[in-house]
Amino acid sequence: MTITLRQMRYALAVARTGHFGQAADECAVSQPALSQQILALETICGSAIFDRLKTGVRLTPFGRDFVELARPALAASEALDNFAIRNAGKPNRPIRFGLIPTVAPYLLPEIFPALTQHLPALKFTISESRTEAMLEEPRRWEPRHRSYRLGATGGWAKARAIAAL
């Protein structure tokens, strides 16, 4: 068996509150469900994490070490969740698009400001080239003429430079 993130969350809540019932409330689960998960965790570990007392619980020496290791593991898991949520649906590299030289000066001043305003976290690579050149190898397309990487800094000036060509 493997230790789950849920079990780590429950163990940290019990350690923080010192009480199974309060930890269950904090985790929005029933006390029996939390207790079962802690028991399963202790079985996986082969050692008690908590000493059960009449007034609550306290960490065993093993439990103290477990909690110290579980905190950063759980924090890393939550950071990864947050990273994934923040970046969901966003491309992981610049969005490339090409324009033919006859329309670039007319379209870029209209399109680029709207793109950067509505999608500030994304970067764009804009290139001018002949239609045939852009269609030759769309997956491995390397701009053959002018290519500008447009980002948050200086991007609009570069777009104007393209438009002025």
Side-chain angles (χ1 to χ4, degrees), residues 4 11 15 18 20 22 24 39 58 71 98 105 119 123 126 136 138-140 146 158 160:
T4 67
F20 277 83
Q22 291 172 8
L39 185 58
R58 76 170 172 228
R71 276 191 186 114
L119 304 166
K123 299 215 184 277
I126 302 172
E136 277 177 9
R139 289 182 180 261
R140 298 176 61 211
R146 298 168 207 91
K158 291 177 186 176
R160 276 188 281 177

Side-chain angles (χ1 to χ4, degrees), residues 5-85:
L5 294 172
R6 174 177 291 140
Q7 289 168 332
M8 284 191 273
R9 264 188 216 99
Y10 290 176
L12 290 177
V14 173
R16 189 173 36 258
T17 62
H19 194 272
F20 277 83
Q22 291 172 8
D25 288 343
E26 186 177 294
C27 295
V29 297
S30 69
Q31 186 271 328
L34 183 130
S35 294
Q36 287 177 347
Q37 287 297 313
I38 295 296
L39 185 58
L41 176 60
E42 290 175 326
T43 301
I44 292 167
C45 293
S47 185
I49 295 172
F50 301 101
D51 283 328
R52 281 107 171 128
L53 310 170
K54 288 184 181 186
T55 58
V57 297
R58 76 170 172 228
L59 288 166
T60 63
F62 174 83
R64 281 192 293 276
D65 292 341
F66 179 88
V67 166
E68 288 307 309
L69 291 171
R71 276 191 186 114
L74 198 53
S77 168
E78 290 169 1
L80 188 57
D81 281 346
N82 291 334
F83 169 79
I85 290 166

Side-chain angles (χ1 to χ4, degrees), residues 83-130:
F83 169 79
I85 290 166
R86 279 192 319 272
N87 291 291
K90 294 180 185 174
N92 60 358
R93 60 181 180 247
I95 296 174
R96 299 188 303 173
F97 62 94
L99 297 167
I100 58 175
T102 54
V103 297
Y106 303 102
L107 291 180
L108 276 178
E110 298 294 322
I111 310 172
F112 188 70
L115 287 172
T116 56
Q117 179 182 4
H118 289 86
L119 304 166
L122 300 183
K123 299 215 184 277
F124 300 93
T125 301
I126 302 172
S127 180
E128 266 184 73
S129 191
R130 295 183 349 265

